[in-house]
Structures are given as structure tokens and as C-alpha cells.
Amino acid sequence: MDQPVLPDYAGACISNIVPALLDGTVEPPPWLPELALDASQVVLLVLDGLGWEQLGERRSLAPTLCSLLGGPITTVSPSTTATALTSIATGLAPGRHGVVGYRVAVDHEVLNILRWSTPEGDARARIVPEKFQPTEAFCGQRAAMVTKAEFATSGFSAAHLGGARFRGYRVPSTMVVELGAALRAGEPFVYAYYDGIDKVSHEYGLADHYDAELVAVDRLVGDVLGVLPAVPRSWSPPTTGRSTWATGCCHPTPTSPPTPRSSPARAASGGSTPAPVGRTPCSRRRAPTTTTWRGS
């Protein structure tokens, strides 16, 4: 019998992606492609429900995804969407951020985290999302967030994406448009979320419908790569709902040599190049004041 895959909370885990990219006090990890750490702009694209093993079994259906650099990392436990997405955004393990499942007991009620409701109905007024999970997302750097427009005002978004600036999309094609607009506006870090694979796999399992959605997602990833700047491009595609996640990095041939950048560790060792944009120490708790990006 196969042994279960356990979270590597101290190493290659989804909860450590955002701190590695945005927290200048964190040592750059060896499992994250260096291009992602040194890039002047990064898109963190979450493909909910796409696991490393499922992708490996369907390489012919996803040539774009499978052409990227990177390897498997672990998710958190439990590996539900609500828990995993909160760990990605906050950089914390479930036991620290408190979103420990799809349903959570709160004050003698059962809170559905994704709907932010109890059997009594909408719970946003009674169970305030920002108080239930008070840690700011993305190290307090008010990152640009591209997600479905209907998620922008949800209780779950308020709980796990506090401080982010929303750019809503309606269908996958408009997600690409919003991503491109954010990058052209100079955003150093953009978080994007797509839930199609998760929805399909829950309803139909891992058969024909899943394969068809994976083909569509591979085209979507190709479109996303097409709007990235024409310099070394970084892509980290963690995926919720499975035991093992994937990270990747796309590195096309640049038209001119990129400007070298240093990690905090390299800077401490005497390097003279600036750190990547956005790598400032995390602001861990929500505060009434806003935090702005501090670039190099």
C-alpha cells in the first residue's frame, strides 16, 4: 500500500510560495525556480484541482503545462480548496490561519467556509470574515488579484484575501485580458485563480470530462504566457484539491539580457544588484493603514 503524502510545512509546500516571492526576510528556497525569484514581474496562477500525478498521467493533453520548469511540492492538510487557498495567500499552515476545512464549527454553528453561511443563512454579519482570519494576504503588499467577479464580495474572499486589490473576470478569456492589463500597468506581482478543473473533477471524476477540461486549461495557460512581458517569465501553478502540487517556470529566449537581481541572501553576501520588486518583509496582521509596494 502506498504511503500517504504528508505536507512539508518546513520546505516545499504551497504555504511557502508567497513568502518566498514577497517576504525579503525569507531565504529563497531551492525548490522554487530561480527565475521566479529574480523576475521583475511574477504571475502566480492557481489551477484549482490539478494535481502533479494527474498531470503526469496526461502529458499529451497538456504540452504547454508539461513544458515548464519545476517539480512537485506538497499541499496542506486537509487539502480542501478553502484551506489550501488560505495557506497560499497568507503563507501560513492551516493550524495558524484557522481555516481548517470546508466546514468549520464556530460558536455552536457549522460555517460553510466557501459560502460563508450557516444553516441560519449568510453569516458575514455574525461571523466577520476579517476577524475569523485576520492575517493579511500576500505579506500585506496589496497584490493585484484576478479572480471571478462574483468572488470579489464573498465572505471567503474577505477572510483569505484581505488587502488584495480585485480585478474580476467573467470567463477564462477575460481573465487573460485582466492579467495583461495588470502587467502593463506595472504590477510586480499578480495572483490569478481558476477553478474549472476542480469543478469538473468533483462532478465527473477523472475521466473524459476531466481530460477535456485539462486540454482547455492548457490552452488557457498558453494564453497567459502570451501576455507576459518579453523577458524571462516566471509561472508558478499550484493546484488545490490533491496531495501533491506543481510549480513551474517558463523561460523563453529573451530579446536582450535581463537585468540581474539578487535575493536577500545574495545581497547579504555582498551582491550589488537590487532585490526583486515586492520582496519586502511581511506585514502579518491586518491594520487600518494600507501597505504599498516597495520596489527596487
Side-chain angles (χ1 to χ4, degrees):
M1 182 176 179
D2 293 339
Q3 294 296 313
V5 177
L6 300 177
D8 183 8
Y9 289 123
C13 184
I14 60 169
S15 58
N16 296 325
I17 295 174
V18 163
L21 293 171
L22 300 181
D23 186 349
T25 67
V26 173
E27 182 75 14
W31 47 267
L32 194 65
E34 188 172 356
L35 291 170
L37 297 170
D38 289 344
S40 59
Q41 290 182 294
V42 172
V43 172
L44 179 62
L45 173 62
V46 175
L47 302 175
D48 196 340
L50 176 60
W52 179 261
E53 293 181 2
Q54 289 78 21
L55 178 61
E57 293 167 355
R58 297 165 174 81
R59 296 182 66 86
S60 63
L61 301 179
T64 301
L65 278 164
C66 292
S67 70
L68 302 175
L69 304 177
I73 64 174
T74 62
T75 186
V76 295
S77 181
S79 59
T80 64
T81 291
T83 304
L85 292 185
T86 306
S87 285
I88 293 175
T90 63
L92 301 176
R96 295 184 63 192
H97 60 61
V99 181
V100 293
Y102 175 59
R103 294 182 177 88
V104 178
V106 182
D107 297 333
H108 307 290
E109 294 185 282
V110 177
L111 175 67
N112 182 308
I113 294 289
L114 294 183
R115 296 185 175 90
W116 212 264
S117 64
T118 69
E120 301 297 320
D122 189 330
R124 285 176 293 180
R126 293 179 293 109
I127 305 173
V128 180
E130 295 87 348
K131 292 183 178 180
F132 182 88
Q133 199 302 106
T135 301
E136 285 190 311
F138 309 117
C139 296
Q141 296 199 29
R142 299 197 69 244
M145 166 72 193
V146 179
T147 189
K148 284 189 171 180
E150 57 264 35
F151 295 164
T153 58
S154 75
F156 177 55
S157 291
H160 84 288
L161 294 171
R165 291 173 290 115
F166 282 83
R167 301 180 73 106
Y169 71 86
R170 296 294 181 184
V171 294
S173 60
T174 57
M175 181 185 80
V176 177
V177 173
E178 292 295 335
L179 272 173
L183 292 169
R184 289 191 299 274
E187 296 286 355
F189 177 86
V190 185
Y191 177 88
Y193 174 72
Y194 178 74
D195 63 353
I197 288 182
D198 185 61
K199 283 188 171 182
V200 169
S201 59
H202 276 298
E203 184 167 355
Y204 298 102
L206 302 177
D208 292 345
H209 294 82
Y210 181 94
D211 290 351
E213 175 62 12
L214 180 58
V215 171
V217 165
D218 196 62
R219 289 195 296 266
L220 175 63
V221 170
D223 291 341
V224 169
L225 295 176
V227 300
L228 298 187
V231 294
R233 301 179 293 187
S234 300
W235 180 58
S236 299
T239 58
T240 62
R242 300 294 180 266
S243 61
T244 307
W245 293 46
T247 62
C249 183
C250 177
H251 185 194
T253 303
T255 55
S256 58
T259 301
R261 293 178 178 271
S262 68
S263 67
R266 287 193 292 273
S269 65
S272 60
T273 53
V277 172
R279 287 182 58 79
T280 56
C282 278
S283 172
R284 282 301 189 191
R285 309 298 288 184
R286 287 198 176 99
T289 58
T290 58
T291 305
T292 58
W293 284 95
R294 292 168 54 193
S296 56

